[in-house]
Amino acid sequence: MTAEGFVARFLTRRVGGMLWRNTVVSTGVFLLGLVVLWVLVEFFQVDRVIAAALSFAVSTSLHYVLGREWVFHGTERKAGRGFAIFLVNALVGLGVTVGLFWVLVAFTTINYLVARVIVSMFAGLAMFALNGVWNFRQI
């Protein structure tokens, strides 16, 4: 498959709908993750980078459940195997999230919550593409 053909797979109304639903789910679980991050840092004095990783794990698990049922509804992949692949994809997202988060909080004066918002956009799109193509095979 050519690069143009691969990109064309993403530029359809159906995939646009999935991206919209994924955005709704991602935003909801992201907000939950942000609250978890804030609680861990502000109330439990957990290191900001470790707290970002923990909050990412919580929101990612919920994202799988909601994504499987609503975003990529109709996937034929078994739930257990799908969750395992989702976790592999999440490790990519976790690497992007924690790595970029660390860079932003270590080398800029950006507030850690703002940094998390910025980072989420990059990680979220990467995870949507990986899951749509590789895991749920809907794109």
Side-chain angles (χ1 to χ4, degrees):
M1 172 179 289
T2 66
E4 294 83 19
F6 184 75
V7 170
R9 290 170 51 184
F10 285 88
L11 302 176
T12 67
R13 180 179 216 105
R14 185 175 77 69
V15 173
M18 285 190 291
L19 180 58
W20 170 250
R21 291 187 301 275
N22 187 72
T23 301
V24 170
V25 169
S26 293
T27 300
V29 299
F30 173 74
L31 291 174
L32 173 66
L34 207 55
V35 169
V36 170
L37 173 62
W38 178 73
V39 167
L40 289 172
V41 170
E42 299 299 332
F43 291 98
F44 296 102
Q45 281 70 51
V46 174
D47 176 80
R48 295 177 297 182
V49 175
I50 292 170
L54 292 171
S55 68
F56 181 86
V58 169
S59 61
T60 297
S61 296
L62 183 57
H63 191 182
Y64 173 75
V65 172
L66 297 173
R68 180 178 177 83
E69 294 302 316
W70 191 44
V71 177
F72 301 107
H73 182 73
T75 183
E76 295 180 13
R77 173 124 19 230
K78 301 272 188 207
R81 181 160 170 81
F83 187 62
I85 294 170
F86 195 87
L87 291 177
V88 170
N89 291 341
L91 289 175
V92 172
L94 179 61
V96 171
T97 298
V98 175
L100 289 177
F101 182 82
W102 175 77
V103 166
L104 289 177
V105 299
F107 298 107
T108 73
T109 59
I110 295 174
N111 177 276
Y112 71 95
L113 295 173
V114 174
R116 181 63 179 92
V117 170
I118 293 168
V119 165
S120 73
M121 290 184 273
F122 293 101
L125 286 172
M127 289 181 62
F128 172 75
L130 285 172
N131 281 304
V133 171
W134 184 42
N135 189 7
F136 297 111
R137 299 182 190 159
Q138 298 284 319
I139 299 174

